[in-house]
Amino acid sequence: MLFNLKLKAVKTSSKLLSNSCVVYFCKDNTGFDKLIKSKKLEINKPQVQIFKKEENAELRVWSDGNPNLILFKKAELNRKFNVDFFRNYLSGLITSIEKLYLKNLYIEVPAYNNYNEIFSNQMHFYQSFAEGILLGNYTFDIYKTKKAKPNNLSVNFIFDDTKVFQQSLAKAEAVINGVTFARDLTNEPANTLTPLEFANRVTKEFKGSNVSVKVFNEKELQKRKMNAILSVGRASKHRPQLLIAHYKPKGKVVKKIALVGKGVTYDTGGLSIKPTKGMLEMKADMAGGATVFGIVRAASLNKLPVEIMGIVPAVENAIDGNAYKPGDVISTASGKTIEVKDTDAEGRIVLADALEFASKQKPDQIIDFATLTGAVAVSLGLFTAGVFTKNDQISYKLIESSKSTYEHIWRLPFWDEYNSLLESKIADISNLGPRWGGAITAGKFLEFFVDENIPWAHIDMAGPALKHDLTSYTKDYCTGYGVRLISDYLEQIK
Ligand code: BES
Ligand code: ZN
Ligand code: ZN
């Protein structure tokens, strides 16, 4: 983390503390004129003129007095404006002031009324400010031996209804706590985050909380005939585990949801080995699993009235003389058999046992998260996840949540005509379809193991789980994609 942050809401009338920076947003040049007038700010004319030019979006004014730095940022409701504006700007801002030795940051929160065309509700609007600061503060530097100790920075949101703002702060802090947990797990390299270490970290994170964690070790997996998970993990000295986190709210439970995540702690491709380039980012092949636990963390902190079971098979897809092979037939926990045609299509195999286990828990809904295919990124690009489901309502609601959280998701077709592409002559299903429509057939493979009476959606997040250039808070590290999206989705469940 860059700073040791303390976030709070303060009234307009509160006095600025020393070593401070104030940020003002203005809708347009007239707004800017009014602002400097009403605050009696003295800014020299050339600076004002330059800032007013269309191509300039930010003005930084230093002074000897307090505040030491005044920042003006244009927040114009033009065609480029979107729900991520404040989140993205503030996340970048926190990085840019790292070396300025400030102690206090003041951010004047503009009136919601000015932006209610874009933000569907006040909470979303306020939350985006706090989220920006918290997301931008993220770094993953535990392996750097030379690093500066984070300085204290108190971030004050100037907003007169401090109570309402404080509420949105608490919510944002809970959600970003989940995002950060997911990011830390995903960024951790595979030589430290083995399946067992994954299990230990999750156990530790939820210790003493309202979430209980169970871990099925290899023996337990054998007892349960979870041969799909066991086969993929067979070649690694780091033995496979199944991680289960159960959050049960205290009061009334509105729905029970199973969240399933791919937890491949490293994907070499197995005997169908990947080239070096393809392997580079494969420590993040457990991002779906990390997202699941990030969501559980956020939901439990926010005390959402939904019961959640997070189910994550954690394995390393490695290579040795004992590795599973193309041509093998695996008999899964469900009894259904898989013909292995490509050991690099391992995610769907481990998820087969996990989805069957999830179905047995009789949840009202199942959603799974997986960095499943390169094909999804070929279809949708790096910053958008694909959603695959027959359930129009779940799809609609996920896309709605995506609009307010700016975690992009888009639906791809899921017709049954794709099923025949996975036919196998010797087993019930093949783990490999043709090159075309690879993300869809991967989803179809998963569907084969889900109880068809349970509404289910599959999210392929191979693109947005890894760092990408969409925003200032996704460009440097694995992103924790999905935690904010699903936290919003779960919040809407009534
Ligand atoms: N983990 C990969 C998918 C992936 C690729 C995730 C790039 C993140 C970034 C997955 O296990 C895989 O290797 N999929 C294969 C499937 C193919 C063999 C059918 C792929 O996408 O090439
Ligand atoms: Zn693979
Ligand atoms: Zn994989």
Side-chain angles (χ1 to χ4, degrees):
M1 76 193 156
L2 297 174
F3 293 102
N4 221 335
L5 291 179
K6 201 175 203 153
L7 273 53
K8 62 173 184 295
V10 299
K11 291 201 190 296
T12 325
S13 56
S14 63
K15 208 171 155 269
L16 302 188
L17 298 170
S18 61
N19 288 62
S20 65
C21 163
V22 187
V23 182
Y24 296 116
F25 293 99
C26 33
K27 258 182 107 170
D28 47 30
N29 285 343
T30 334
F32 174 60
D33 286 334
K34 273 195 202 151
L35 191 74
I36 43 180
K37 217 168 161 189
S38 72
K39 307 265 179 213
K40 299 196 178 72
L41 301 167
E42 277 175 37
I43 300 163
N44 60 45
K45 283 216 178 72
Q47 276 200 310
V48 170
Q49 293 308 327
I50 294 167
F51 179 59
K52 283 187 174 175
K53 295 213 182 299
E54 204 185 321
E55 64 269 26
N56 292 318
E58 195 190 71
L59 171 65
R60 296 190 170 203
V61 183
W62 286 92
S63 88
D64 293 327
N66 205 29
N68 301 103
L69 176 62
I70 305 178
L71 258 163
F72 297 94
K73 171 72 181 170
K74 283 183 197 159
E76 203 177 330
L77 268 182
N78 55 21
R79 263 183 294 154
K80 277 198 198 143
F81 191 89
N82 60 44
V83 293
D84 203 46
F85 183 89
F86 297 106
R87 188 185 292 110
N88 191 24
Y89 171 70
L90 291 174
S91 139
L93 174 74
I94 201 86
T95 325
S96 76
I97 63 169
E98 190 197 353
K99 301 265 148 65
L100 299 186
Y101 302 98
L102 297 162
K103 292 218 160 57
N104 297 284
L105 176 62
Y106 291 86
I107 297 161
E108 189 169 88
V109 180
Y112 170 64
N113 292 347
N114 291 340
Y115 296 97
N116 59 7
E117 282 167 49
I118 303 291
F119 292 86
S120 51
N121 69 53
Q122 285 190 56
M123 270 320 193
H124 281 143
F125 177 67
Y126 303 143
Q127 251 175 274
S128 76
F129 287 77
E131 287 180 4
I133 295 288
L134 295 166
L135 287 167
N137 194 43
Y138 182 83
T139 56
F140 186 79
D141 56 8
I142 54 175
Y143 295 110
K144 281 191 179 288
T145 53
K146 276 190 196 145
K147 58 179 176 245
K149 196 172 150 255
N151 290 317
N152 292 336
L153 179 72
S154 125
V155 181
N156 307 280
F157 296 95
I158 306 177
F159 190 79
D160 275 330
D161 194 343
T162 46
K163 211 170 151 195
V164 165
F165 204 89
Q166 211 64 47
Q167 254 173 10
S168 74
L169 266 182
K171 253 168 115 175
E173 280 179 324
V175 173
I176 304 305
N177 190 305
V179 176
T180 304
F181 182 45
R183 293 181 89 175
D184 281 344
L185 288 167
T186 316
N187 286 308
E188 190 68 46
N191 59 336
T192 49
L193 198 93
T194 60
L196 185 62
E197 177 62 13
F198 193 178
N200 290 341
R201 296 224 182 166
V202 171
T203 307
K204 197 171 146 208
E205 178 79 5
F206 291 115
K207 206 170 197 133
S209 78
N210 49 6
V211 176
S212 59
V213 177
K214 254 196 291 192
V215 179
F216 293 172
N217 62 14
E218 190 174 22
K219 252 202 179 134
E220 184 69 27
L221 294 172
Q222 282 161 351
K223 220 165 78 196
R224 292 173 179 268
K225 300 198 169 53
M226 293 182 155
N227 297 317
I229 298 174
L230 289 164
S231 299
V232 174
R234 206 166 69 191
S236 172
K237 76 172 213 219
H238 306 295
R239 310 310 292 161
Q241 318 281 331
L242 182 68
L243 286 43
I244 303 159
H246 189 181
Y247 163 62
K248 211 169 169 183
K250 282 249 163 60
K252 197 178 146 235
V253 174
V254 290
K255 276 222 164 74
K256 177 174 169 180
I257 314 254
L259 303 176
V260 178
K262 172 175 173 181
V264 175
T265 58
Y266 198 74
D267 183 9
T268 65
L271 290 174
S272 315
I273 191 170
K274 285 183 186 295
T276 309
K277 248 181 112 183
M279 241 181 259
L280 257 179
E281 295 186 295
M282 284 306 118
K283 66 166 188 182
D285 211 18
M286 34 56 71
T291 290
V292 164
F293 296 122
I295 297 165
V296 173
R297 180 82 181 128
S300 72
L301 288 171
N302 272 329
K303 303 201 170 64
L304 295 188
V306 280
E307 181 176 349
I308 308 175
M309 287 199 84
I311 300 161
V312 175
V315 304
E316 186 176 73
N317 188 19
I319 308 172
D320 79 353
N322 186 36
Y324 82 127
K325 302 168 289 295
D328 283 358
V329 174
I330 302 170
S331 179
T332 67
S334 62
K336 294 174 182 169
T337 56
I338 301 169
E339 180 185 4
V340 179
K341 286 196 180 153
D342 191 317
T343 61
D344 195 13
E346 83 298 340
R348 62 194 78 178
I349 300 180
V350 297
L351 288 171
D353 277 346
L355 286 165
E356 132 86 14
F357 179 80
S359 297
K360 287 251 167 69
Q361 313 305 311
K362 298 277 171 234
D364 298 305
Q365 258 176 45
I366 302 175
I367 305 179
D368 77 72
F369 306 84
T371 47
L372 205 61
T373 67
V376 78
V378 173
S379 326
L380 297 173
L382 284 179
F383 52 73
T384 305
V387 57
F388 306 82
T389 181
K390 284 194 175 132
N391 191 297
D392 294 343
Q393 213 197 0
I394 298 186
S395 163
Y396 175 80
K397 291 191 165 166
L398 285 171
I399 292 169
E400 283 303 297
S401 288
S402 130
K403 287 180 193 160
S404 40
T405 56
Y406 214 66
E407 290 206 294
H408 293 323
I409 196 165
W410 204 249
R411 191 180 192 181
L412 285 163
F414 212 44
W415 301 299
D416 281 335
E417 282 83 352
Y418 291 97
N419 289 340
S420 64
L421 300 171
L422 291 173
E423 272 169 15
S424 158
K425 291 271 184 250
I426 61 163
D428 298 334
I429 194 165
S430 152
N431 84 327
L432 185 67
R435 187 167 138 73
W436 317 114
I440 303 172
T441 47
K444 280 290 165 188
F445 179 95
L446 301 182
E447 188 184 40
F448 192 64
F449 297 91
V450 180
D451 181 337
E452 59 182 14
N453 296 313
I454 304 175
W456 162 73
H458 155 59
I459 296 176
D460 192 339
M461 47 186 258
L466 309 178
K467 64 180 179 198
H468 56 77
D469 288 337
L470 181 67
T471 69
S472 58
Y473 54 87
T474 52
K475 64 180 178 42
D476 295 324
Y477 301 102
C478 294
T479 60
Y481 175 89
V483 178
R484 290 192 301 107
L485 172 80
I486 303 300
S487 296
D488 185 75
Y489 172 85
L490 294 175
E491 211 183 298
Q492 313 301 327
I493 292 182
K494 299 272 143 56

